[in-house]
Structure formats: C-alpha cells, structure tokens
C-alpha cells in the first residue's frame, strides 16, 4: 500500500527530513517562549506548565513511533491476525509468560486502509474532539471537548491539546492528551489517556517525561501516491491506525484469542471511521 510512497522518496527522502527538522525547530521555539498570546482556555497559566505538557506530548509521540516499528529487530515479537486478509498486525511483549499470569497485559495493534478522500479531510475529522465518539468506543457515545490548547508551530493545526467529555467531566477520571501535526506530505493525530492527577502535575510544571503509564495510540495520514502526482485529478489518502490497549489475561488464553480480539477491535474502529467519513458531508 505504501510501496510507491517509499520508492519515490516521499516517506524517507530529503524533503521529509527537512520538514521534520522544521517541525522540531518550531516546536523548540514555541516551548522557549515565556508568553504566548493564546495557547489555552485558561487551564494552563504557567509557562513551565506549558513546557511540561509539551514535553509529555512529545514522549507520547516517541512511544507511538516506537510501537509502530513491529520489526523482527525490536523487542516485540510480531504476530499477524490476517485470516480474512484484514491486514491487522499486533505485537505483545516478550518479557513474561503472558498466559500464565492474571495481570492484564498490553497489546499493540495496527492496520492501514485506503480512503477516497484527501488527507486533510481525514485529518480534520480525526482531530476533532466533538466527533471522537463516532469512532472511539471509550467515549460511550458522548462528544468530547478541548480544555487546553498549546501551539507547537506556525501552522494553526500544529498543537497539543487536552480533551475531556463534554458532559459530566471526570473529577478523578481519565482525560486525553493529544498532539496534531500536518504538512504537505502527511499528518498525524497521536494521543494517550492519562489520569487527571498526572495531567494536573504537568500543568503545574512538574516534569512527567519518565511517566510509565503512557499508552499511546493514533493515526498517520498520507496522500496516496496517485494524489501526489501533478497530473492527478482524484484525491485519495492512506490511513494507518495504531492502538495500544490493555487486555485482561483471564479472557485471553492463547495467541490466537489475542489475535482475534485485536482483529475485532481494529475492524470495528476502521469501519466506524469509514462509515463516518464516507456517509457524511465529507464526500459531498
């Protein structure tokens, strides 16, 4: 699916490296500022708190990227739940005998899909907290909203945000830290749930870069190779979805059952995204 993008140097070529260097440079510049005209909704009042939240979001992004490796050289074995050509892949840690323990364990599951929509349309949908309930079962059918917003660059869609349910906000429950980025070659929306206490510590200026409870998930979006051609009249995109999730060990008795559970989750999420995008105004 990504062969042409890789072979044409779009994925790893010089232009990609230059854009990445620019992204990091703008991010460092934003973090160094003592004052920004607008960077949140009143939740983050200290410059040090802004920097700690940005650092925490960067750690989420790094963990997300590491999880996507899924290679034979990584410390995570690769398994493929692909009996029906779904293309779903999942990894689990090697470091303990998972199925002889009653403790929940983490599974990393990922898949890619082609969509007949431009990448910026997919990006706008996935970053919108008000529409998150259309694909995220964790939302329980309720819209979420942004309570803090930190710019990480010159583009208005380069930012870190903190989101929570619009109805009955949690007091000691879970909120989500999310980072969004877009450039001419692609975009990402990466997030992790964190409990309110941890996020409050970061907001108050405490460094949480070594926090061990980060569970990153997210989306990578790219124009497909045909859309990037100057002669192309149609616009399509490639979407890679990757989740990290807890699985209750008593319910997962072997690798096959873990594969089935991973496949079911990913299939549900991808179908929900496709349904929301292809049946909504985005295609009109």
């Amino acid at each position: 699916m990504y062969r042409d993008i890789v072979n044409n140097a779009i994925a790893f070529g010089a232009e990609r490296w230059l854009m990445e260097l620019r992204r990091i440079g703008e991010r460092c510049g934003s973090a160094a500022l003592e004052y920004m005209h607008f960077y949140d909704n009143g939740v983050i009042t200290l410059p040090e708190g802004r920097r700690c939240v940005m650092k925490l979001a960067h750690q989420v992004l790094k963990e997300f990227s590491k999880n996507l490796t899924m290679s034979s050289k990584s410390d995570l074995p690769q398994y493929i739940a692909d009996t029906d050509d779904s293309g779903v892949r999942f990894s689990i840690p090697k470091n303990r005998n998972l199925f002889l323990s009653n403790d929940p364990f983490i599974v990393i599951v990922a898949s890619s899909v082609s969509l007949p929509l431009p990448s910026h349309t997919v990006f706008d949908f996935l970053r919108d907290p008000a529409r998150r309930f259309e694909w995220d079962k964790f939302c329980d059918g309720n819209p979420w909203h942004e309570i803090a917003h930190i710019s990480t660059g010159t583009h208005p869609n380069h930012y870190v945000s903190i989101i929570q349910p619009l109805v009955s906000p949690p007091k000691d429950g879970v909120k989500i830290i999310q980072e969004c980025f877009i450039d001419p070659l692609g975009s990402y929306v990466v997030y992790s749930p964190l409990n309110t206490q941890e996020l409050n510590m970061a907001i108050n200026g405490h460094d949480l870069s070594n926090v061990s409870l980060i569970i990153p998930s997210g989306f990578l979006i790219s124009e497909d190779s045909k859309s990037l051609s100057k002669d192309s009249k149609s616009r399509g995109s490639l979407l890679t979805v990757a989740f990290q999730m807890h699985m209750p060990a008593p319910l997962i008795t072997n690798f096959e059952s873990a594969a089935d559970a991973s496949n079911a989750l990913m299939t549900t999420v991808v179908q929900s995204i496709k349904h929301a995008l292809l049946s909504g105004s985005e295609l009109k």
Side-chain angles (χ1 to χ4, degrees):
M1 192 178 292
Y2 283 90
R3 183 180 294 114
D4 290 343
I5 291 178
V6 174
N7 290 344
N8 292 334
I10 296 169
F12 304 110
E15 187 177 4
R16 166 62 68 192
W17 283 108
L18 288 171
M19 286 187 174
E20 180 65 9
L21 287 171
R22 179 178 179 179
R23 181 185 77 85
I24 293 295
E26 290 186 353
R27 187 187 183 90
C28 291
S30 297
L33 293 175
E34 290 297 319
Y35 173 77
M36 296 180 70
H37 177 65
F38 172 79
Y39 60 82
D40 81 314
N41 297 335
V43 174
I44 305 173
T45 58
L46 301 174
E48 189 58 36
R50 170 167 51 85
R51 284 189 281 270
C52 286
V53 171
M54 290 179 67
K55 192 173 183 179
L56 181 59
H58 185 62
Q59 183 67 19
V60 172
L61 181 60
K62 285 175 62 178
E63 291 296 318
F64 175 78
S65 300
K66 184 174 69 175
N67 289 344
L68 275 181
T69 303
M70 285 197 186
S71 71
S72 58
K73 295 181 180 180
S74 71
D75 58 354
L76 297 174
Q78 178 175 265
Y79 302 95
I80 303 176
D82 204 17
T83 55
D84 57 354
D85 293 325
S86 63
V88 177
R89 297 170 182 266
F90 78 102
S91 293
I92 56 179
K94 284 180 178 178
N95 56 2
R96 64 191 182 104
N97 193 334
L98 301 173
F99 305 114
L100 295 179
S101 171
N102 288 324
D103 297 329
F105 60 92
I106 290 177
V107 171
I108 302 164
V109 56
S111 188
S112 297
V113 63
S114 177
L115 296 169
L117 294 167
S119 62
H120 68 84
T121 299
V122 182
F123 172 76
D124 287 340
F125 168 73
L126 293 172
R127 71 185 177 91
D128 186 354
R131 301 192 65 182
R132 189 181 184 94
F133 72 93
E134 295 185 48
W135 57 266
D136 190 350
K137 298 301 181 184
F138 182 74
C139 294
D140 197 26
N142 298 313
W144 284 43
H145 72 131
E146 184 181 86
I147 61 170
H149 182 109
I150 304 172
S151 173
T152 60
T154 56
H155 194 287
N157 288 335
H158 297 173
Y159 61 90
V160 172
S161 60
I162 298 173
I163 61 175
Q164 70 177 28
L166 184 60
V167 180
S168 301
K171 294 181 180 179
D172 299 316
V174 173
K175 297 178 183 178
I176 288 175
I177 184 170
Q178 175 173 286
E179 179 159 349
C180 302
F181 177 84
I182 187 168
D183 66 28
L185 299 183
S187 59
Y188 64 74
V189 179
V190 177
Y191 64 90
S192 175
L194 286 172
N195 65 52
T196 300
Q197 182 179 5
E198 288 174 331
L199 273 175
N200 286 341
M201 290 177 63
I203 289 170
N204 291 326
H206 296 280
D207 187 354
L208 296 181
S209 59
N210 294 321
V211 65
S212 60
L213 298 179
I214 290 176
I215 308 176
S217 299
F219 308 93
L220 300 176
I221 309 141
S222 173
E223 297 286 340
D224 64 24
S225 56
K226 294 179 181 178
S227 297
L228 291 167
S229 171
K230 294 181 180 179
D231 299 327
S232 176
K233 296 181 180 180
S234 61
R235 299 291 300 276
S237 58
L238 301 178
L239 171 66
T240 291
V241 186
F243 293 121
Q244 188 174 159
M245 61 182 182
H246 283 100
M247 280 197 175
L251 300 181
I252 306 298
T253 57
N254 53 45
F255 290 125
E256 287 74 21
S257 60
D260 290 342
S262 300
N263 199 7
L265 170 71
M266 182 58 68
T267 299
T268 299
V269 172
V270 169
Q271 289 300 322
S272 296
I273 292 171
K274 291 174 68 175
H275 179 268
L277 284 169
L278 301 181
S279 64
S281 59
E282 288 82 0
L283 200 60
K284 297 178 181 178

